[in-house]
């Protein structure tokens, strides 16, 4: 079983839709959860990071963590064509421990 | 904010030659940097952890003599692909580690696309 599972997509949605991106993980030692966005041929950029279970909101983006289910989500409201990218979840157990990435979900927002 | 500069952004080389990729933290000191490799439509594969002033820690299956990593200062880490072969063609990305409230938040460079002919 992989440490982090993420549906690779691709996921196509119309502009303005609410997007839900998800990851599951297997190790309960993981405590920190991050979402990165990667445009084609570019390095990933950090969108959000969270520690505890619950929701964290930043503009149109909401990160949700459910530690009991080992399930994390990223919601994008009012999706825009500029949101078209690959979204990677990343988790780790703290400190300078290795960060484990999901495979990434490719999102396309159609105008 | 934290910025990591990586260059070259792309490089084409002949088989058997060596290629050096540089990764710099521009506005902060990075005692720890990470080097990743990414294949098309796949996630990031950690190659090694680069620690300033000490030897890099390589992941299982990564040849340390093939992928030489040097982290001589707090702002610069380099990856040298030695005697490159076509199978080394890939997208290489570096990242620097920043601690934020206990989270190991990675700031990535823009990546370097290597093509070995």
């Amino acid at each position: 079983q992989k440490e982090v599972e993420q549906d690779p997509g691709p996921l196509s949605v119309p502009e303005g839709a609410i997007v839900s991106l998800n990851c599951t993980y297997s190790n309960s030692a993981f405590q920190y959860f991050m979402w990165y966005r990667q445009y084609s041929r570019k390095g990933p950029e950090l969108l959000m990071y969270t520690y505890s279970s619950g929701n964290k909101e930043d503009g149109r983006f909401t990160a949700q963590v459910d530690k009991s289910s080992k399930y994390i989500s990223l919601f994008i409201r009012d999706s825009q064509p500029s949101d078209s990218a690959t979204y990677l979840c990343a988790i780790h157990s703290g400190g300078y421990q290795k960060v484990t990435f999901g495979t990434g979900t490719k999102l396309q927002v159609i105008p | 904010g934290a910025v990591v500069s990586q260059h070259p952004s792309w490089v084409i080389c002949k088989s058997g030659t060596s290629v050096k990729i540089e990764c710099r933290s521009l506005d902060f000191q990075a005692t720890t940097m990470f080097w990743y490799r990414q294949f098309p439509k796949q996630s990031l594969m950690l190659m090694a952890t680069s620690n300033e002033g000490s030897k890099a820690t390589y992941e299982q299956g990564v040849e340390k003599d093939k992928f030489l990593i040097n982290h001589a200062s707090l702002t610069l880490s380099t990856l040298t692909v030695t005697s490159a072969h076509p199978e080394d063609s890939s997208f290489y990305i570096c990242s620097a580690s920043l601690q934020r409230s206990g989270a190991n938040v990675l700031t990535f460079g823009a990546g370097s696309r290597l093509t070995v002919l």
Side-chain angles (χ1 to χ4, degrees):
Chain A
Q1 183 184 10
K2 288 184 179 179
E3 287 190 299
V4 183
E5 299 274 3
Q6 184 175 11
D7 187 336
L11 178 63
S12 292
V13 300
E15 182 175 355
I18 297 174
V19 176
S20 173
L21 304 165
N22 311 292
C23 287
T24 59
Y25 62 96
S26 57
N27 190 341
S28 59
F30 291 132
Q31 299 290 329
Y32 297 90
F33 310 92
M34 292 157 279
W35 285 95
Y36 287 83
R37 177 175 63 195
Q38 184 177 22
Y39 291 111
S40 182
R41 301 176 186 271
K42 298 292 184 183
E45 57 177 324
L46 178 70
L47 283 176
M48 301 180 71
Y49 68 96
T50 60
Y51 169 69
S52 57
S53 285
N55 295 348
K56 182 177 181 180
E57 189 174 320
D58 184 1
R60 296 186 294 111
F61 298 89
T62 300
Q64 188 175 81
V65 175
D66 182 348
K67 288 187 176 180
S68 62
S69 302
K70 300 188 181 67
Y71 192 85
I72 61 175
S73 302
L74 178 71
F75 298 97
I76 307 174
R77 293 187 301 280
D78 188 25
S79 56
Q80 302 295 310
S82 59
D83 295 328
S84 298
T86 296
Y87 291 80
L88 300 108
C89 61
I91 56 177
H92 80 106
S93 54
Y96 285 101
Q97 295 299 309
K98 184 174 83 170
V99 177
T100 301
F101 286 88
T103 54
T105 300
K106 186 172 183 179
L107 170 68
Q108 184 177 18
V109 181
I110 302 169
Chain B
V3 177
V4 173
S5 174
Q6 182 177 348
H7 72 91
S9 56
W10 59 272
V11 57
I12 301 173
C13 70
K14 292 182 178 180
S15 186
T17 60
S18 295
V19 174
K20 180 186 284 188
I21 301 170
E22 291 190 350
C23 181
R24 294 180 184 272
S25 57
L26 296 186
D27 49 1
F28 65 101
Q29 294 181 331
T31 56
T32 303
M33 290 187 174
F34 301 90
W35 286 95
Y36 290 86
R37 185 173 180 176
Q38 189 174 35
F39 294 100
K41 299 184 180 180
Q42 294 189 28
S43 189
L44 300 166
M45 183 191 80
L46 179 64
M47 298 174 66
T49 301
S50 171
N51 300 297
E52 187 270 334
S54 64
K55 291 182 179 181
T57 303
Y58 290 82
E59 294 298 302
Q60 191 173 10
V62 178
E63 299 176 60
K64 61 181 180 181
D65 295 330
K66 173 76 169 173
F67 299 100
L68 299 178
I69 291 173
N70 183 279
H71 195 154
S73 77
L74 287 171
T75 59
L76 174 64
S77 177
T78 61
L79 167 68
T80 300
V81 183
T82 63
S83 186
H85 291 282
E87 58 265 29
D88 298 325
S89 299
S90 192
F91 192 52
Y92 294 89
I93 317 175
C94 70
S95 69
S97 180
L98 284 172
Q99 289 286 303
R100 292 187 187 176
S101 303
N104 186 11
V105 174
L106 301 180
T107 300
F108 286 88
S112 300
R113 183 162 301 281
L114 170 64
T115 301
V116 184
L117 302 177

